[in-house]
Amino acid sequence: MSGATDEPSPLRVLATRSWALAALGVVAAVITCVMLGLWQFHRFEAKSARADLIEHNYSAPPVALTDVLPASDSPLAADDGWRTVRLTGEYCTAPECVLYARNRPFNGEVGFAQLVPFRTDDGTVMVARGWVPTQSASSAPADPPEVPTGERTIVVRLRPMEPVLAGRTNPPGQVQSIAIEELAAVEPAAGTLHRGAYGELASEDPAPADAPTPFPRPDTSLGPHLSYAVQWWAFALFFPIAWAVRARRAVLDEIELRRRGGAAQPVRARRAPVRSRDEEEEDALLDELRG
């Protein structure tokens, strides 16, 4: 029979508590990385869909308001965000009709959006005419432009009403969000507002002598979400590969150890160590001294 021992089974080598815990850790890490990758991919898809919608609707030819909002209580469909519509009528110029939405950023500054109801034969639409800076001394619009009077034709991009920010107290003539609940105060003077959307001003004819700063084109960049998703999925592959490489190394080390420990070692006759001439002369001198 050969002196070598049987090679161990990989399952027997890895059937230990430490390797089981390592495998569970790998499974948890893979699941976490996959889920994080999916989260980043969903964010990429959401931004991509938003960018496609903006590109399609932002500069499209304007349509009639009733083509998008047939009635004052009609909700704005998701596919109609940023849809351009043409309105003919006039602004409500009564003091109680002009509102300012707070905390509106523009080029690194925080200001206001000027909100004015625009009355048409198809109903009244709240229009965000543009951005107005904040006074340095108080939280109020700085030199807001006058609202133009008389009949005019404007083009607006429809935006869904914003959610209400509860627990906020607003100064007179200001609102925290462009929400129908906060805008309803103007209805006695302006008429019933369209409740599903407001309009962001794109152009008006005739053009006024003074107007708020136009709102910038919305950002359509997709961000790094897709690359982040790929990175998380690459991490998900790394952990099981690293575990497999380490497990293979452990099995090979165990096999090599058993091979070395189980092999018969040849028995050899012991030979006297070879001594040099100097060592023999030293031993002879020591013997004479002892004698």
Side-chain angles (χ1 to χ4, degrees):
M1 291 181 62
S2 171
T5 60
D6 295 334
E7 294 185 355
S9 167
L11 292 178
R12 293 182 61 185
V13 174
L14 302 178
T16 63
R17 184 172 181 273
S18 60
W19 278 106
L21 291 175
L24 290 175
V26 167
V27 171
V30 169
I31 293 175
T32 301
C33 291
V34 170
M35 296 302 294
L36 288 172
L38 289 174
W39 173 60
Q40 290 289 350
F41 186 71
H42 290 329
R43 294 190 67 186
F44 165 76
E45 286 187 317
K47 282 199 168 185
S48 180
R50 178 179 180 273
D52 291 342
L53 179 67
I54 292 172
E55 292 297 333
H56 182 267
N57 290 348
Y58 194 82
S59 299
V63 298
L65 177 64
T66 53
D67 291 345
V68 185
L69 300 175
S72 62
D73 58 351
S74 299
L76 183 67
D79 292 343
D80 288 328
W82 302 103
R83 187 78 176 271
T84 54
V85 299
R86 179 179 286 107
L87 306 174
T88 299
E90 60 182 6
Y91 289 110
C92 177
T93 56
E96 61 270 26
C97 284
V98 182
L99 299 175
Y100 291 90
R102 298 165 57 87
N103 301 320
R104 303 291 153 161
F106 181 78
N107 285 348
E109 298 183 42
V110 177
F112 296 83
Q114 188 185 64
L115 307 176
V116 186
F118 191 82
R119 294 180 291 209
T120 75
D121 292 339
D122 298 319
T124 302
V125 178
M126 182 60 76
V127 175
R129 298 190 65 238
W131 183 83
V132 178
T134 303
Q135 290 181 4
S136 58
S138 62
S139 181
D143 299 323
E146 294 290 334
V147 179
T149 60
E151 186 175 85
R152 61 191 48 246
T153 297
I154 66 173
V155 174
V156 299
R157 298 183 178 93
L158 295 180
R159 305 289 296 123
M161 288 289 183
E162 299 173 354
V164 177
L165 300 179
R168 307 287 182 90
T169 301
N170 305 315
Q174 297 183 18
V175 295
Q176 289 287 344
S177 59
I178 308 177
I180 190 61
E181 293 83 355
E182 297 196 47
L183 304 179
V186 305
E187 288 187 325
T192 302
L193 292 172
H194 273 272
R195 313 185 83 77
Y198 70 94
E200 188 175 286
L201 185 65
S203 64
E204 53 186 327
D205 183 27
D210 188 19
T213 303
F215 294 112
R217 183 183 177 92
D219 181 22
T220 56
S221 62
L222 301 182
H225 302 297
L226 182 59
S227 62
Y228 286 168
V230 173
Q231 290 176 20
W232 281 117
W233 291 334
F235 291 154
L237 293 175
F238 166 79
F239 288 107
I241 291 174
W243 187 92
V245 170
R246 185 66 186 88
R248 179 178 180 274
R249 183 70 266 169
V251 171
L252 293 178
D253 289 346
E254 182 67 18
I255 291 174
E256 182 65 21
L257 182 63
R258 294 198 181 191
R259 284 178 177 175
R260 290 181 179 180
Q265 299 295 327
V267 179
R268 299 181 180 179
R270 296 188 64 182
R271 297 173 57 186
V274 178
R275 299 171 60 83
S276 66
R277 184 172 181 179
D278 290 339
E279 290 175 332
E280 291 177 351
E281 290 178 353
E282 288 177 0
D283 288 346
L285 179 59
L286 290 172
D287 290 343
E288 289 179 2
L289 294 174
R290 291 186 185 124

